[in-house]
Amino acid sequence: MVYFVGLRFHGGCQKTLKSATSSLFSLFTVRSLCHQTLLDHHHPSHDLHHHWAQPAPPCPSPLDQSSQSFVRRVCSQVLQSYHQQTRSPSSSPMLYLNDIDMESLTHDQAITIVALLANEAGSMVALSFFNWAIGFAKFRHFMRLYIVSASSLIGNGNLERAHEVMQHMVKNFAEIGRLNEAVNMVIEMDNQGLSPSTQTLNRILRMACECGLVEFAEEVYEEMHQRGVCPDCHSFKSMIVGYCRTGRISEADRWLSGMVERRFLIDNSTCTLVIKAFCEKGFLSRVLWFFYKMVEMGFTPNVITFTSLIDGLCKRGNIKQAFEMLEEMVRRGWKPNVYTHTALIDGLCKKGWTEKAFRLFLKLVRSDNYRPNACTYTAMIRGYCQEDKVNRAEMLLSRMREQGIIPNINTYTTLIDGHCKVGNFERAYELMDIMNNEGFTPNICAYNTIIDGLFKKGREEEACKLLRTGIKHGLKADKVTYTILMSASCKQADGRRALVYFCKMLKLALQADIHSYNTLIAAFCRQKEMKESERVFEEAVSLGLVPTKQTYASMICGYCRDGNVDSAVRFFHRMSDHGCQPDSIVYGALISGLCKDSKLDEAHRLYDAMIDKGLAPCEVTRLTLAYEFCKKDDSMTAIIALERLQRKLWIRTVNTLIRKLCSEGKVRMAALFFNKLLDKDHNADRVILAAFLTACYESNHYALVSALSERIRKRSATSRNFLRG
């Protein structure tokens, strides 16, 4: 048997447990407690009220005569109050014992009353008094009261009510950090004939997880399982909620898999929590799998569940999938609410599709059922500010006020950020004054926004002055402030100073987020200190932070610049582990790195995969791949690679490639591409034509000039004849 002793925590702060082999019952036993408190003489009477009014029979209790009289009076009042209340067979009524002086009622008297009531008046009367007593702090955490109450109910054969007492004990003792004592008592009561129930197990698991003691909950689960207690869906729910709240997604995943294996259904509130936790940590595909698996098993999602999924998809940039989820939601009979629309608008804006977002916004404005709220307006304002359309953002702010919607701090901070991006710091300062006048004291977020903008515009002195002003007004620099300072240091190629800010942030107990780590990683990558970058990367992962696309882009670009393409490829393949999809920048960096490392086949495969995903390679990527194949005298592969491009991109790339080949003296290869160019573009660029002819003359390739001139002449004649006809 495992005993859980030695745990002392307050508010769930302590999360370590010590196992010991000695029981809590080394101090006392259940039997001895009951022996001290039970009155062993049963006085038969059909009139219970009359019975309590009679002189008490001889009692082995250590209570003196006055105490016995007080006990009899309390018992009589309990019975009177009990029979005056409306009773339900499934629950004990609430007692009104206003005449009892709580200060006079001792612990010994309370347990004597419970035992007497259970023995003489029945389990429900005793349970009513027990419930009344634990409503007072004096008895709420008195262990012997719970033990005697449960033992008395066991003696009456009422195991269900005894379990109820144990569940109260677990809940109340968890409040004061003595959960392990309560668990020990539950386990010891098994030896007294009260085997732990599934409901008691669930109460323990829930209280442990609410306190953050998930490891302790795991141990209790195993102990109970060995004792034959069968867990149900609520047992798994408690563990899943506990791990989600502590951000331990892999452990939550394990318990979710157990639920699926046992075909336990999840409820909507837990499902919503799981969706948010998994999406925040980047496990979107996994939570979608669980969602559809639960639906297949009979789970019925509601509008909140669907909205959480849509929000998670939008935050990860999967807008198409989010709208598909919206369609499924409507098919199942749920109407999207303002929160659903806000999530979609925010997702569209972050994707850069502001006009599409505005059309959806107008649809919401014209709706008879829902109206946009402050969060909806803020999302739309943020979208316009991202595109530097601050006039439209200001228009929306005015519209908010007209509609009677009060802008919040986020609204103002978003608008301030927009003005700082375009360099309009005067309006940013005005908005801070407006915030003050409207009762919103500018917080550190508002200051951070302007400070960041000033740094980006090169106004470092003004930024530092504003930061000092904020601190003077009582604000404290947060992790965003330090991230801004780190970023500014990195732009000045001062990675060491950025590291100093990072260490200072940790020293102030400010938990660094992934953005702080991204800044530090990018700084080391730019300085080609890749060992340091990888160390910081692994530290972030070990802390439970989820690397973003920016994190991986920095690492991959850094390794490619450093000439370590194998490590870059390794990080490229790790992206999917954290739900990150590579963009054209990541693909471009890796393709360029592979080309420089003469791994052209692998570069070509990545290039094809990139286009298959609908990503357009930048001109540097297109040109690098084609030119490297040309250097290997493999012009046909270069032509095949370029053929996958859109016509405009193809023409632009081939023009640049011809000039580069001419400058390198590869005139014959340039002629091949020039002829391909003439096939697609009848109006050849004169600058490119001049460069090609010059290269031909300089390398004595007069035949190429003649052939090209003849082709141009024939094409011109054909065009004139066509126009005359």
Side-chain angles (χ1 to χ4, degrees), residues 53-122:
Q54 300 303 313
C59 174
S61 168
L63 299 177
D64 57 26
Q65 205 64 30
S66 62
S67 292
Q68 292 181 37
S69 176
F70 181 69
V71 165
R72 287 195 301 272
R73 189 168 70 252
V74 172
C75 288
S76 180
Q77 290 184 27
V78 168
L79 275 169
Q80 185 177 0
S81 179
Y82 178 83
H83 288 292
Q84 286 175 349
Q85 309 305 321
T86 303
R87 296 187 298 279
S88 167
S90 60
S91 62
S92 58
M94 182 180 294
L95 300 180
Y96 295 94
L97 306 176
N98 299 326
D99 295 336
I100 296 177
D101 182 9
M102 282 300 302
E103 296 300 322
S104 301
L105 184 63
T106 66
H107 287 141
D108 284 338
Q109 289 170 346
I111 59 178
T112 301
I113 291 168
V114 167
L116 273 171
L117 289 171
N119 194 38
E120 300 293 343

Side-chain angles (χ1 to χ4, degrees), residues 506-517:
L506 298 181
K507 188 177 180 181
L508 292 172
L510 295 172
Q511 184 62 52
D513 58 14
I514 193 61
H515 302 294
S516 306
Y517 278 94

